[in-house]
Amino acid sequence: MTIGVLLVDDQALVRAGIKSLLDLSEEVSVIAEASDGSLIIDALESHEIDVILLDISMPVMNGIEALALLKQQNIATPVIILTTFDDHDSILKGIANGAKGYLLKDVSLDTLIDAIKSVHAGQRLVQPAITERLLSGMQHIRSDFEKPDMIEPLSIREKEVLSLMASGCSNKEIADMLCKSQGTIKNHVSNVLSKLGVRDRTRAVLLAIEKGLI
């Protein structure tokens, strides 16, 4: 089965380049394009889209705003953010708004295809180089972000909560999804942070991605 991709980037030459590369694969096909985030909904309604490749910096509606719109409308089509630069704020906002993958545009074709296949299969992928640059560039996090060698195993429920945290859900939203009280979810979140050896959600998500926990 060919994975149908929606390519969203304001630069026509970039779209043409990525499309020509992906056309070399028999497993992935660009079946729709858009020049800004505001056109994504129409494209999804007009085509059978399996994965969205989304640029961050675009006019009219940027990638983060587009992710927020998809989240607001409960559209679950997996999104890979594809960018040429390291914008620490945007990376975190992208993860918080449900991006399933995050790659630099200089990634190899094989890596891009593997990423598309991975998120289509329900996995999450952030290029290791991005994680390292993110931690290196965010001194206020790095200064007290000691990654433990050993992580205490998480329960099945804690893994569920961690995954929802990574999708940007609040305690109330997680409680509603799992049919639990907010107090119970707050306890689960505290347990997750404690077991991961971190003090907030940002560090928890970054560490979970790096360790392959989500």
Side-chain angles (χ1 to χ4, degrees), residues 110-208:
D110 287 343
T111 299
L112 178 56
I113 291 174
D114 286 344
I116 292 171
K117 291 162 61 177
S118 293
V119 300
H120 182 245
Q123 300 173 31
R124 184 184 296 274
L125 185 146
V126 176
Q127 196 175 1
I130 289 183
T131 302
E132 288 304 315
R133 294 184 199 183
L134 176 61
L135 293 176
S136 296
M138 300 179 68
Q139 296 302 324
H140 63 290
I141 285 182
R142 187 178 178 86
S143 62
D144 59 357
F145 184 50
E146 296 297 332
K147 295 176 284 187
D149 294 328
M150 297 292 292
I151 294 177
E152 186 177 348
L154 302 179
S155 68
I156 293 175
R157 178 63 78 190
E158 288 165 352
K159 288 180 179 179
E160 289 177 335
V161 169
L162 177 58
S163 179
L164 291 171
M165 287 166 56
S167 295
C169 296
S170 65
N171 284 359
K172 183 180 184 305
E173 290 170 330
I174 296 174
D176 291 343
M177 291 179 185
L178 299 182
C179 299
K180 300 293 182 181
S181 70
Q182 289 189 55
T184 297
I185 297 304
K186 184 177 179 180
N187 289 337
H188 283 314
V189 171
S190 295
N191 289 340
V192 168
L193 298 183
S194 176
K195 288 184 176 182
L196 294 182
V198 296
R199 70 177 190 176
D200 61 37
R201 288 172 174 241
T202 298
R203 294 168 177 80
V205 171
L206 290 174
L207 183 59

Side-chain angles (χ1 to χ4, degrees), residues 3-9 15 19 22-23 29-35 39-40 42-53:
I3 300 173
V5 170
L6 167 61
L7 180 56
V8 187
D9 195 299
R15 294 199 309 272
K19 183 178 185 303
L22 290 178
D23 283 346
S29 177
V30 175
I31 60 175
E33 300 179 32
S35 58
L39 304 174
I40 289 179
D42 287 343
L44 290 174
E45 291 175 348
S46 303
H47 304 275
E48 291 292 330
I49 305 296
D50 298 307
V51 174
I52 301 171
L53 289 182

Side-chain angles (χ1 to χ4, degrees), residues 21 45 54 65 67 70 76-77 80 85 92 102 115 117 140 158 174 188 194 206 208-209:
L21 286 175
E45 291 175 348
L54 181 64
E65 293 167 339
L67 277 167
L70 293 173
T77 306
I80 296 175
F85 56 90
L92 294 178
Y102 221 115
K117 291 162 61 177
H140 63 290
E158 288 165 352
I174 296 174
H188 283 314
S194 176
L206 290 174
I209 290 172

